[in-house]
Amino acid sequence: MVRSTLIVRASDALPLAASVDDEQTEQTLQEHKQQAKLIFRRITPHSEPKCSIESGRYTLHYLLADNVVFLTIADQSYPRKFAFSYLEELEKEFSLSYGPKVESVRKPYAFVGFDTFMSKTARLYRDTRAASASRGSNMDKLNDELQDVTRIMTKNIEELLQRGDSLDRMSHLSTSLRTESEKYRRAARNVNVQAMIRQYAPVGAVALILIVLLWWRFS
């Protein structure tokens, strides 16, 4: 389920809004919220627009749009398609309500009133069953329209923060190209093997028949 949500300005990581969490949630997610702050500092204009970052029992999903980062902390088992659908709903409403004001604000949490919409929307996405029930027949349409979640970059928090992995889309592109290149090489080898089999199989069959005939005749 969706546990907590943070919205910041991408250019300087200024907090714009956040969900109001109860004391237990605050204590449980204290470390993960600190990790979120470190992630915000790593996001650049060249970062992937969507990313899922795994951290223990939870996954931090973020959506980057128009210099605003929408990040939610959800259970690791919570489907990514619901997490990003939730973030997309927040992005649309936030853009309509506050989009022109984002660049001019100077104080943290200038749009704290957005929590009302976040809370209402989070309740719809509380868990997969509730999300499915609340969305009703729209879920099939949602599944068709959502970007293939397998294309969303996934990172591990240790790789990102300790080993310095990049969130940049060019880094992800390089990894994807290496993967696709390896797939192409494997496919090319298979094609070559199949071509050799097709080329020499008839000759081998004839040779085998001759050997059998010779053996039968002279044995």
Side-chain angles (χ1 to χ4, degrees), residues 22 29 44 49 52 71 90 111 117 121 136 146 163 170 174 182 190 200 215 218:
D22 58 38
L29 299 180
T44 72
S52 297
L71 182 146
L90 297 189
F111 310 123
F117 181 82
T121 308
L146 276 176
R163 298 209 305 235
M170 290 305 295
S174 297
E182 181 60 29
N190 290 336
Y200 295 109
W215 175 82
F218 295 105

Side-chain angles (χ1 to χ4, degrees), residues 4 6 29-40 50-63 70-76 78 80 83-84 87 152-157 160-161 167:
S4 184
L6 303 167
L29 299 180
Q30 183 176 7
E31 179 182 358
H32 295 83
K33 289 189 176 186
Q34 290 299 319
Q35 292 171 350
K37 292 179 181 179
L38 295 175
I39 291 168
F40 293 144
K50 294 181 180 181
C51 184
S52 297
I53 302 165
E54 299 169 348
S55 178
R57 295 168 48 201
Y58 302 101
T59 301
L60 290 74
H61 307 277
Y62 81 70
L63 169 66
F70 303 83
L71 182 146
T72 188
I73 304 171
D75 294 333
Q76 189 180 47
Y78 192 74
R80 282 197 289 176
F84 282 101
L87 292 175
I152 297 174
M153 183 167 70
T154 302
K155 289 283 187 180
N156 181 278
I157 195 68
L160 182 64
L161 299 183
L167 287 170

Side-chain angles (χ1 to χ4, degrees), residues 140-154:
D140 290 336
K141 182 180 178 182
L142 172 66
N143 290 334
D144 292 337
E145 292 179 350
L146 276 176
Q147 175 183 350
D148 182 0
V149 293
T150 61
R151 295 178 179 272
I152 297 174
M153 183 167 70
T154 302

